[in-house]
Each structure stands twice: as structure tokens, then as C-alpha cells.
Amino acid sequence: MAGKTVFVTGGAGYIGSHCCVELLEAGYNVVAVDNFANSVQDDGVATALKRVEKITGKPVTFYKCDLLDRERVMKIFDQHKIDCVIHFAALKAVGESMQLPLQYYKNNLIGTINLLEAMKSTNCFDLVFSSSCCVYGDPEFLPITEEHPTGNVTNVYGRTKYFIEEMLKDLSKSDPKWNIISLRYFNPVGAHPSGLIGEDPTKEVQNVMPFIASVALGKKPHVTIFGNDYNTPDGTGVRDYIHIMDLASGHVAALKKLQTTKDLQYKVCLGRGISVLELIREFEKATGTHVPTVQGERRYGDVGTLICASKKALSELDWVYNLGTGRASSVLDLIRTFELVSQMKVPFVMKERRHGDIVSMYADTTLASEELGWQARHDVLRMCEDFWRWQTMNPNGYKSETAATNGNGIPEKTAKSAFTNGNHVNANGDGVKASNGH
């Protein structure tokens, strides 16, 4: 894998920047693009990616580019020998997508088409697509496996992910050169353990962990929990939270899968038997012509029946994997763990359920474990620890870049807290101890 060049769309964003760290540390070269719709810039410079370079000691080639600018995308592909692509770039706010559906369909779908055309024009056919558990809709069963029905999606953002997945399936079937993996994320949270990169929303904070952190820092008065009468252990909604670095490592595992499964042989067939006479009759129906037949004696060596099973082709030519922990955590679980880590009180208020909210959603990640050799390693406690480190070192997100630094361009911690050996301790060095989960 060393020396191969990966093109990362949305590379300056939350997931993209953490993935770039994993790619560089795995020996890949990275060419990243971003239009800064969901990420922070400083005069066209991707702040997150500059910090990625500090973390890894390796360069990232970056272009400010919108995937809707087809000509510019083509030009960048012409300038580099791209071996594979990871496609994160998308508008991604669920609520906003319902208000601006045309903008979401145009940006997410047309941008993807432009990317695929640029790939094809330069003979680059390996793609990892950033999909979402949104494609499952309201779960029919739990935990959710990759065989769970898709398409009954409750929002426009999720529908764009579903439509792109369908588009990629059609592309794979039309041309065997394409190798595509779709990764269906559950709920990424946390930050890089260095505290240098993390989630810095450019719009109104909506994701749960940045919101909890904003309350802990006193920037917001409370967390609003919608619904406390669900059929869950504490009555609040349940989700599968995954550490952002586990998610990033899943992409490296997916790339390795693409690179090591070339030249596989598959039986591609209908999977059921059709006799010679049935074939002739169907041909007559379709063409409106008569096809005369003459019965002859059997030929020596002819096989009476031969039907193939195409299960392997169906599963492996349409690679889809869930990335989650397989463990369910409620909103209250997350708040209580965050309080434990931060030693800050996080007030919350209960409100009625919102229409369309899903009660529980968590993954079965067996397939990713078996076929990608990947498993999530971090628990919710570690997710909260790493995110709180990011927030205390960067209370204003990447805008903290201008704050006091330690001489290496790394912001000093600005809250009265510290971390040692990956564990949060308070300012006087006393360790934080768990007590009944709160």
C-alpha cells in the first residue's frame, strides 16, 4: 500500500481530517479537496489539514475545490496519479436538507457524478464511499445488519446517500473494473487523542457531543432531550456512537480490501435453471417469430442440469459494511459519561418526542470484522475524554489557532483541566472516579 496516492474529498472536514491522519500513518500519499462548506479555512488554507501535518510529520497536498466545478476536478485528476478515492464531501445537516432539498440533491448527487467521471477519465476505479446508517430508515430489527432493507429513508440527506449507493451499484454492474465499498456510518464522535483536531461545526451546533461540550463550557444553557418515554433502559433515544479514529481506521481497512481483492473470480448468473425449450419459447415471444425445433438423440458427455449459485458475486461485487461499535448508548448515558470526564455539570431539559425521531439504532458489525479485519477499539468513556481534550485545548475550535501556543504552533490548554496517560484529571491532579455511572 505504501506510496499509493489517495484522493480525499471533504478532506478538511471532521471525518476527512481524521481519516487523513490514518492514511498518512499507513504510508499513503494524500491529495485532499474541500470547498469549506463544513470546515474551517484561513485564506484558503485548510486549518485542520495543517494540524494533520503536525500530527503526522507528513505533507498533505490540498486544493480548494467544489465537486460541482467539473472542470477543476478533472484538472486536479490530470495533475496527479490517483490510485484510489475516499468520498466524504457532502452537505450533511438532516434538518437543513428538508428545507433545502434541491441544494442537497444538486450538491451531493451531481458532485458525486463529476467525481466518478473524473475517476473514469484517468482510469481510477477504486472508491470508498462515505454512506450513512440513514439509508436503513426506521429499523425493522436490531442490531442492524447489512442485509437490513434500505430506501425507506426519512430525510433528504439520507435519500442522497441512498441514491448514491444505488448509483454505485449500477456502475459496478456495468463495468467490472470498478471496485467500490460503501461504509455505512453510525454516530461518529470524539477527536484525535492529541487534541489538535476535532469537530468544529461551521453552522449551528446540532450534533450531540459538540452540543454537550458547549453546555459544559457555559456557551449554551442546557441540552434538550426530545423524548424520555421510549422503550429503552432510561427512556431516552439509543444510538451507536463510534470513536472518530475507529471510523478513520475503517477506511484504511476498506482500502486494503480493495487493493488485495483484485482478480477475484465470480460466477455471475441468474441462479435458476431454464430449459432449452423454455429459452426458445421466450425468444419466440420476444421476437414474434417462430423458431422450428427438431429433437435429436442425447450427445455423449452432455450434462443434464447445470445451475450456478451467485451468492459470492452478489455479496462481494456490492461491498457494503456497517461501521459502529455494536453497543447501544442512550443520550443520558452520553451526558453522564461526559460529566464524569469533564467534572462539569451538563444541565438538560426533557421535551416531547419529535415526529420522525428513531427510538433505537445500533449496528451489527460482524461483516466488517470478518471481511475487513476491522473492529472498533474505543468505548464511550474514551470518546468523551478525547473530545473534551479537543474542546479544552480549543475552546473556540480552529479559531483558537490565534490563541497562545506552546511555541510549536500548538494551542495551550485553556480550561482548568488536564490529561495524563489518556485519562482526565482535574487541575489538582486528582483522578476522576466513576460512581454508579454518574
Side-chain angles (χ1 to χ4, degrees):
M1 260 44 81
K4 288 190 176 293
T5 298
V6 183
F7 186 80
V8 181
T9 74
Y14 174 45
I15 302 174
S17 59
H18 287 78
C19 186
C20 285
V21 170
E22 286 290 301
L23 290 170
L24 290 169
E25 291 183 343
Y28 291 96
N29 301 312
V30 174
V31 176
V33 298
D34 205 297
N35 67 354
F36 300 117
N38 297 314
S39 54
V40 177
Q41 64 169 316
D42 181 9
D43 288 333
V45 175
T47 310
L49 293 180
K50 293 315 250 180
R51 295 195 184 186
V52 165
E53 291 179 333
K54 289 177 184 175
I55 292 168
T56 63
K58 297 178 181 179
V60 176
T61 302
F62 175 74
Y63 296 92
K64 182 179 180 180
C65 175
D66 193 317
L67 293 184
L68 293 179
D69 187 345
R70 184 177 182 275
E71 185 176 330
R72 180 152 172 75
V73 176
M74 290 284 192
K75 184 176 180 181
I76 294 170
F77 268 81
D78 287 339
Q79 290 176 325
H80 299 272
K81 183 186 180 305
I82 306 296
D83 296 294
C84 36
V85 173
I86 300 180
H87 181 28
F88 295 109
L91 294 176
K92 61 184 182 67
V94 169
E96 183 183 67
S97 75
M98 302 301 286
Q99 299 167 347
L100 303 170
L102 287 180
Q103 186 175 336
Y104 270 68
Y105 286 126
K106 179 179 180 179
N107 185 85
N108 295 1
L109 298 181
I110 303 302
T112 300
I113 290 171
N114 289 344
L115 174 65
L116 293 169
E117 288 179 342
M119 291 178 66
K120 184 176 181 180
S121 72
T122 54
N123 294 312
C124 174
F125 296 99
D126 287 0
L127 171 68
V128 176
F129 172 57
S130 162
S131 191
S132 167
C133 62
C134 284
V135 300
Y136 294 121
D138 202 344
E140 295 179 9
F141 56 83
L142 292 168
I144 298 171
T145 66
E146 289 80 359
E147 285 74 38
H148 187 288
T150 59
N152 188 23
V153 188
T154 57
N155 58 77
V156 172
Y157 161 72
R159 274 193 281 277
T160 66
K161 293 293 187 181
Y162 171 71
F163 290 152
I164 292 170
E165 277 198 17
E166 293 299 299
M167 187 194 313
L168 297 178
K169 289 178 189 177
D170 292 337
L171 194 60
S172 294
K173 291 172 185 173
S174 72
D175 187 341
K177 290 195 292 290
W178 285 98
N179 293 302
I180 300 172
I181 289 178
S182 293
L183 298 177
R184 293 173 180 162
Y185 309 162
F186 279 67
N187 296 76
V189 295
H192 189 271
S194 68
L196 289 180
I197 59 173
E199 186 171 8
D200 184 12
T202 57
K203 300 174 183 176
E204 180 63 27
V205 178
Q206 293 185 339
N207 289 347
V208 62
M209 191 164 282
F211 206 104
I212 291 172
S214 294
V215 174
L217 288 171
K219 294 184 176 183
K220 293 186 179 294
H222 58 259
V223 175
T224 301
I225 299 176
F226 295 94
N228 64 347
D229 57 350
Y230 290 114
N231 184 25
T232 61
D234 61 24
T236 65
V238 165
R239 296 293 182 268
D240 188 340
Y241 298 103
I242 176 174
H243 195 293
I244 187 67
M245 295 312 298
D246 284 332
L247 189 64
S249 70
H251 290 79
V252 174
L255 283 184
K256 289 178 180 175
K257 170 82 171 175
L258 290 179
Q259 296 299 313
T260 56
T261 52
K262 309 282 189 183
D263 305 322
L264 287 180
Q265 295 184 339
Y266 299 97
K267 295 172 286 187
V268 182
C269 54
L270 189 61
R272 59 183 175 85
I274 300 174
S275 72
V276 176
L277 279 179
E278 284 175 324
L279 188 62
I280 291 171
R281 286 164 187 158
E282 290 301 319
F283 191 90
E284 288 177 330
K285 282 185 200 175
T287 62
T289 60
H290 177 63
V291 179
T293 61
V294 176
Q295 295 288 345
E297 294 284 331
R298 291 187 185 184
R299 296 174 300 185
Y300 175 75
D302 276 352
V303 176
T305 303
L306 193 62
I307 304 170
C308 89
S310 56
K311 183 177 179 180
K312 183 177 181 183
L314 288 172
S315 65
E316 296 195 4
L317 292 178
D318 177 23
W319 284 325
V320 176
Y321 300 98
N322 289 335
L323 293 188
T325 63
R327 296 184 295 273
S329 299
S330 72
V331 178
L332 278 179
D333 287 334
L334 200 59
I335 290 174
R336 288 166 180 160
T337 306
F338 204 91
E339 287 180 328
L340 174 69
V341 165
S342 66
Q343 290 193 300
M344 306 291 281
K345 184 66 178 171
V346 179
F348 60 87
V349 297
M350 295 290 188
K351 289 196 174 180
E352 291 188 2
R353 301 182 186 188
R354 294 175 299 189
H355 176 70
D357 276 351
I358 293 170
V359 180
S360 297
M361 198 169 213
Y362 54 95
D364 182 328
T365 59
T366 303
L367 195 64
S369 176
E370 292 177 349
E371 296 193 4
L372 300 182
W374 172 90
Q375 283 185 319
R377 298 184 297 111
H378 301 104
D379 60 14
V380 171
L381 181 67
R382 178 63 184 272
M383 298 174 205
C384 292
E385 285 177 350
D386 287 343
F387 194 82
W388 186 236
R389 182 183 296 108
W390 150 255
Q391 281 284 248
T392 53
M393 288 175 64
N394 306 270
N396 297 311
Y398 289 113
K399 299 180 187 67
S400 304
E401 187 78 3
T402 56
T405 67
N406 60 11
N408 297 314
I410 299 174
E412 297 281 8
K413 298 177 179 67
T414 55
K416 292 181 180 179
S417 57
F419 291 83
T420 60
N421 300 323
N423 297 311
H424 185 279
V425 297
N426 61 19
N428 63 13
D430 296 329
V432 177
K433 296 179 181 179
S435 59
N436 300 322
H438 188 82

Coordinates of all heavy atoms in Angstrom, one line a residue, residues 78-129:
D78 N -5.9 15.2 -13.5 CA -4.9 15.1 -14.6 C -3.5 15.5 -14.0 O -2.5 15.0 -14.6 CB -5.3 16.1 -15.7 CG -6.4 15.6 -16.5 OD1 -6.7 14.4 -16.5 OD2 -7.1 16.5 -17.2
Q79 N -3.5 16.2 -12.9 CA -2.2 16.6 -12.3 C -1.6 15.6 -11.4 O -0.4 15.7 -11.1 CB -2.4 17.9 -11.5 CG -2.7 19.1 -12.4 CD -2.9 20.4 -11.6 OE1 -3.5 20.3 -10.5 NE2 -2.5 21.5 -12.0
H80 N -2.3 14.6 -11.0 CA -1.8 13.6 -10.1 C -2.2 12.2 -10.6 O -3.2 12.0 -11.3 CB -2.4 13.8 -8.7 CG -2.1 15.1 -8.1 ND1 -1.0 15.3 -7.3 CD2 -2.8 16.3 -8.1 CE1 -0.9 16.6 -6.9 NE2 -2.0 17.2 -7.4
K81 N -1.3 11.2 -10.2 CA -1.7 9.8 -10.5 C -2.5 9.3 -9.3 O -1.9 8.9 -8.3 CB -0.5 9.0 -10.7 CG -0.8 7.5 -11.1 CD 0.4 6.6 -11.2 CE 0.0 5.2 -11.6 NZ -1.0 4.6 -10.7
I82 N -3.8 9.3 -9.3 CA -4.6 8.9 -8.2 C -4.9 7.4 -8.3 O -5.3 6.9 -9.3 CB -6.0 9.7 -8.2 CG1 -5.7 11.2 -8.3 CG2 -6.8 9.3 -7.0 CD1 -5.0 11.8 -7.1
D83 N -4.6 6.7 -7.2 CA -4.8 5.3 -7.2 C -6.2 4.9 -6.6 O -6.8 3.9 -7.1 CB -3.7 4.6 -6.3 CG -2.3 4.8 -6.9 OD1 -2.1 4.2 -8.0 OD2 -1.5 5.5 -6.3
C84 N -6.7 5.7 -5.7 CA -8.0 5.4 -5.1 C -8.6 6.6 -4.5 O -7.9 7.6 -4.2 CB -7.9 4.2 -4.1 SG -6.4 4.2 -3.1
V85 N -9.9 6.6 -4.3 CA -10.6 7.8 -3.8 C -11.4 7.4 -2.6 O -12.0 6.3 -2.5 CB -11.6 8.3 -4.9 CG1 -12.5 9.4 -4.4 CG2 -10.8 8.8 -6.1
I86 N -11.4 8.3 -1.6 CA -12.4 8.2 -0.5 C -13.3 9.5 -0.6 O -12.8 10.6 -0.5 CB -11.7 8.2 0.9 CG1 -10.8 7.0 1.0 CG2 -12.7 8.1 2.0 CD1 -10.0 6.8 2.3
H87 N -14.6 9.2 -0.7 CA -15.5 10.3 -1.0 C -16.3 10.7 0.3 O -17.3 10.0 0.6 CB -16.4 9.9 -2.1 CG -17.4 10.9 -2.5 ND1 -17.2 12.3 -2.4 CD2 -18.6 10.8 -3.1 CE1 -18.3 12.9 -2.9 NE2 -19.2 12.0 -3.3
F88 N -15.9 11.8 1.0 CA -16.7 12.3 2.1 C -17.6 13.4 1.8 O -18.6 13.7 2.4 CB -15.7 12.7 3.2 CG -14.9 11.7 3.8 CD1 -13.5 11.6 3.6 CD2 -15.4 10.7 4.7 CE1 -12.7 10.7 4.2 CE2 -14.6 9.8 5.3 CZ -13.3 9.7 5.0
A89 N -17.1 14.2 0.8 CA -17.8 15.6 0.6 C -19.3 15.5 0.4 O -19.7 14.8 -0.5 CB -17.1 16.2 -0.6
A90 N -20.0 16.2 1.2 CA -21.5 16.3 1.1 C -22.0 17.3 2.0 O -21.4 17.6 3.0 CB -22.1 14.9 1.4
L91 N -23.2 17.9 1.6 CA -23.9 18.6 2.6 C -24.6 17.6 3.5 O -25.1 16.6 3.0 CB -25.0 19.5 1.9 CG -24.4 20.6 1.0 CD1 -25.6 21.3 0.3 CD2 -23.6 21.6 1.8
K92 N -24.7 17.8 4.9 CA -25.0 16.7 5.7 C -25.9 17.0 6.9 O -26.0 16.2 7.8 CB -23.7 16.2 6.3 CG -22.8 17.2 7.1 CD -21.5 16.6 7.6 CE -20.7 17.5 8.4 NZ -21.3 17.8 9.7
A93 N -26.5 18.2 6.9 CA -27.4 18.5 8.1 C -28.8 18.0 7.7 O -29.4 18.4 6.8 CB -27.4 20.0 8.3
V94 N -29.3 17.1 8.6 CA -30.6 16.5 8.3 C -31.7 17.5 8.2 O -32.5 17.5 7.3 CB -30.9 15.4 9.4 CG1 -32.3 14.9 9.3 CG2 -29.9 14.2 9.3
G95 N -31.8 18.4 9.3 CA -32.9 19.3 9.3 C -32.8 20.3 8.1 O -33.9 20.6 7.4
E96 N -31.6 20.8 7.8 CA -31.5 21.7 6.7 C -31.8 21.0 5.3 O -32.4 21.7 4.4 CB -30.0 22.2 6.6 CG -29.7 23.2 5.5 CD -28.2 23.6 5.5 OE1 -27.4 22.7 5.1 OE2 -27.9 24.7 5.8
S97 N -31.5 19.7 5.2 CA -31.8 19.0 4.0 C -33.3 19.0 3.7 O -33.7 19.0 2.5 CB -31.3 17.6 4.0 OG -32.1 16.7 4.9
M98 N -34.2 19.0 4.7 CA -35.6 19.1 4.5 C -36.1 20.5 4.0 O -37.1 20.6 3.4 CB -36.4 18.7 5.8 CG -36.0 17.3 6.3 SD -36.3 16.0 5.1 CE -38.1 15.9 5.2
Q99 N -35.3 21.5 4.4 CA -35.7 22.8 3.9 C -35.1 23.2 2.6 O -35.6 24.1 1.9 CB -35.2 23.8 5.0 CG -35.8 23.6 6.4 CD -35.1 24.4 7.5 OE1 -34.0 24.9 7.3 NE2 -35.7 24.5 8.7
L100 N -33.9 22.6 2.2 CA -33.2 22.9 1.0 C -33.0 21.7 0.2 O -31.8 21.3 -0.1 CB -31.9 23.6 1.3 CG -31.9 24.8 2.2 CD1 -30.5 25.2 2.6 CD2 -32.6 26.0 1.4
P101 N -34.1 20.9 -0.2 CA -33.8 19.7 -0.9 C -33.1 19.8 -2.2 O -32.2 18.9 -2.5 CB -35.3 19.1 -1.1 CG -36.2 20.3 -1.0 CD -35.5 21.3 0.0
L102 N -33.4 20.8 -3.0 CA -32.7 20.9 -4.3 C -31.3 21.1 -4.1 O -30.4 20.6 -4.9 CB -33.4 22.0 -5.1 CG -34.8 21.8 -5.7 CD1 -35.2 23.0 -6.5 CD2 -34.7 20.5 -6.6
Q103 N -30.9 21.9 -3.2 CA -29.5 22.2 -2.9 C -28.7 20.9 -2.5 O -27.6 20.6 -3.0 CB -29.3 23.2 -1.8 CG -27.9 23.7 -1.6 CD -27.8 24.8 -0.6 OE1 -28.8 25.5 -0.3 NE2 -26.7 24.9 0.1
Y104 N -29.4 20.1 -1.7 CA -28.8 18.8 -1.3 C -28.7 17.8 -2.4 O -27.6 17.2 -2.6 CB -29.6 18.2 -0.1 CG -29.1 18.7 1.2 CD1 -29.2 20.1 1.6 CD2 -28.4 17.9 2.1 CE1 -28.7 20.5 2.8 CE2 -27.9 18.3 3.3 CZ -28.0 19.7 3.7 OH -27.5 20.1 4.8
Y105 N -29.7 17.7 -3.2 CA -29.7 16.8 -4.3 C -28.6 17.2 -5.4 O -27.8 16.4 -5.9 CB -31.0 16.7 -5.0 CG -32.1 15.9 -4.2 CD1 -33.3 16.4 -3.9 CD2 -31.8 14.6 -3.8 CE1 -34.2 15.7 -3.2 CE2 -32.7 13.8 -3.1 CZ -33.9 14.4 -2.7 OH -34.8 13.7 -2.0
K106 N -28.6 18.5 -5.6 CA -27.6 19.0 -6.6 C -26.2 18.8 -6.1 O -25.3 18.3 -6.8 CB -27.8 20.5 -6.9 CG -26.8 21.1 -7.9 CD -27.1 22.6 -8.1 CE -26.1 23.2 -9.1 NZ -26.4 24.6 -9.4
N107 N -25.9 19.2 -4.9 CA -24.5 19.2 -4.3 C -24.1 17.7 -4.2 O -23.0 17.3 -4.7 CB -24.5 19.8 -3.0 CG -23.0 19.9 -2.4 OD1 -22.3 20.8 -2.8 ND2 -22.7 18.9 -1.6
N108 N -24.9 16.9 -3.6 CA -24.4 15.5 -3.2 C -24.4 14.6 -4.4 O -23.5 13.8 -4.6 CB -25.3 15.0 -2.1 CG -25.1 15.7 -0.8 OD1 -24.4 16.7 -0.7 ND2 -25.8 15.3 0.2
L109 N -25.5 14.7 -5.3 CA -25.6 13.8 -6.4 C -24.7 14.2 -7.6 O -23.9 13.4 -8.1 CB -27.0 13.6 -6.9 CG -28.0 13.0 -5.8 CD1 -29.4 12.9 -6.4 CD2 -27.5 11.7 -5.3
I110 N -24.9 15.5 -8.0 CA -24.1 16.0 -9.2 C -22.6 16.0 -8.8 O -21.8 15.6 -9.7 CB -24.6 17.4 -9.6 CG1 -26.1 17.3 -9.9 CG2 -23.8 17.8 -10.8 CD1 -26.5 16.3 -11.0
G111 N -22.3 16.4 -7.6 CA -20.9 16.4 -7.2 C -20.3 15.0 -7.3 O -19.1 14.8 -7.8
T112 N -21.0 14.0 -6.9 CA -20.6 12.6 -7.0 C -20.4 12.1 -8.4 O -19.4 11.5 -8.8 CB -21.5 11.6 -6.3 OG1 -21.6 12.0 -4.9 CG2 -21.1 10.2 -6.4
I113 N -21.3 12.5 -9.3 CA -21.2 12.2 -10.7 C -20.0 12.8 -11.3 O -19.2 12.1 -12.1 CB -22.5 12.6 -11.5 CG1 -23.7 11.7 -11.1 CG2 -22.3 12.5 -13.0 CD1 -25.0 12.2 -11.6
N114 N -19.7 14.1 -11.0 CA -18.5 14.7 -11.5 C -17.2 14.0 -11.1 O -16.3 13.8 -11.8 CB -18.4 16.2 -11.1 CG -19.5 17.0 -11.8 OD1 -20.0 16.7 -12.8 ND2 -19.7 18.2 -11.2
L115 N -17.2 13.6 -9.8 CA -16.1 12.8 -9.3 C -15.9 11.5 -10.0 O -14.8 11.1 -10.4 CB -16.3 12.6 -7.8 CG -15.3 11.7 -7.1 CD1 -13.9 12.4 -7.0 CD2 -15.7 11.4 -5.6
L116 N -17.0 10.8 -10.2 CA -16.9 9.5 -10.9 C -16.4 9.6 -12.3 O -15.6 8.8 -12.8 CB -18.3 8.8 -10.8 CG -18.7 8.3 -9.4 CD1 -20.2 7.9 -9.5 CD2 -17.9 7.2 -8.9
E117 N -16.9 10.7 -13.0 CA -16.4 10.9 -14.4 C -14.9 11.2 -14.4 O -14.2 10.8 -15.3 CB -17.2 12.0 -15.0 CG -18.7 11.6 -15.3 CD -19.5 12.7 -15.9 OE1 -19.1 13.9 -15.8 OE2 -20.6 12.4 -16.5
A118 N -14.4 12.0 -13.4 CA -13.0 12.3 -13.4 C -12.2 11.0 -13.1 O -11.1 10.8 -13.7 CB -12.7 13.3 -12.3
M119 N -12.7 10.2 -12.2 CA -12.0 8.9 -11.9 C -11.9 8.1 -13.2 O -10.9 7.6 -13.5 CB -12.8 8.2 -10.8 CG -12.7 8.8 -9.5 SD -13.7 7.9 -8.2 CE -12.8 6.3 -8.2
K120 N -13.1 7.9 -13.9 CA -13.1 7.1 -15.1 C -12.1 7.6 -16.1 O -11.5 6.8 -16.8 CB -14.5 7.0 -15.6 CG -14.6 6.0 -16.8 CD -16.1 5.9 -17.2 CE -16.2 4.9 -18.4 NZ -17.6 4.7 -18.8
S121 N -12.1 8.9 -16.3 CA -11.3 9.5 -17.4 C -9.8 9.3 -17.1 O -9.0 9.4 -18.1 CB -11.5 11.0 -17.5 OG -11.0 11.7 -16.4
T122 N -9.4 9.0 -15.9 CA -8.0 8.8 -15.6 C -7.7 7.3 -15.1 O -6.7 7.0 -14.5 CB -7.5 9.7 -14.4 OG1 -8.4 9.6 -13.3 CG2 -7.6 11.2 -14.9
N123 N -8.7 6.4 -15.4 CA -8.5 5.0 -15.1 C -8.3 4.7 -13.6 O -7.5 3.9 -13.3 CB -7.4 4.4 -16.0 CG -7.7 4.4 -17.4 OD1 -8.8 4.0 -17.9 ND2 -6.8 4.9 -18.2
C124 N -9.0 5.5 -12.8 CA -9.0 5.2 -11.4 C -10.4 4.6 -11.0 O -11.4 5.3 -11.2 CB -8.8 6.5 -10.6 SG -8.9 6.4 -8.8
F125 N -10.4 3.4 -10.5 CA -11.7 2.7 -10.4 C -11.9 2.2 -8.9 O -12.8 1.5 -8.7 CB -11.8 1.5 -11.3 CG -11.8 1.9 -12.8 CD1 -10.7 1.9 -13.6 CD2 -13.0 2.4 -13.3 CE1 -10.7 2.3 -14.9 CE2 -13.0 2.8 -14.7 CZ -11.9 2.7 -15.5
D126 N -11.0 2.6 -8.0 CA -11.2 2.1 -6.6 C -11.7 3.3 -5.8 O -11.2 4.3 -5.7 CB -9.8 1.7 -6.0 CG -9.3 0.4 -6.6 OD1 -10.0 -0.2 -7.4 OD2 -8.2 -0.1 -6.2
L127 N -12.9 3.0 -5.1 CA -13.6 4.0 -4.4 C -14.1 3.5 -3.1 O -14.7 2.4 -3.0 CB -14.8 4.6 -5.3 CG -15.8 5.5 -4.6 CD1 -15.1 6.8 -4.2 CD2 -17.0 5.7 -5.4
V128 N -13.9 4.3 -2.0 CA -14.6 4.1 -0.7 C -15.6 5.2 -0.5 O -15.2 6.4 -0.5 CB -13.6 4.0 0.4 CG1 -14.4 3.8 1.7 CG2 -12.7 2.8 0.2
F129 N -16.9 4.9 -0.4 CA -17.9 5.9 -0.3 C -18.4 6.1 1.1 O -18.7 5.1 1.8 CB -19.1 5.6 -1.2 CG -20.3 6.5 -1.0 CD1 -20.2 7.9 -1.2 CD2 -21.5 5.9 -0.7 CE1 -21.3 8.7 -1.0 CE2 -22.6 6.8 -0.5 CZ -22.5 8.1 -0.6

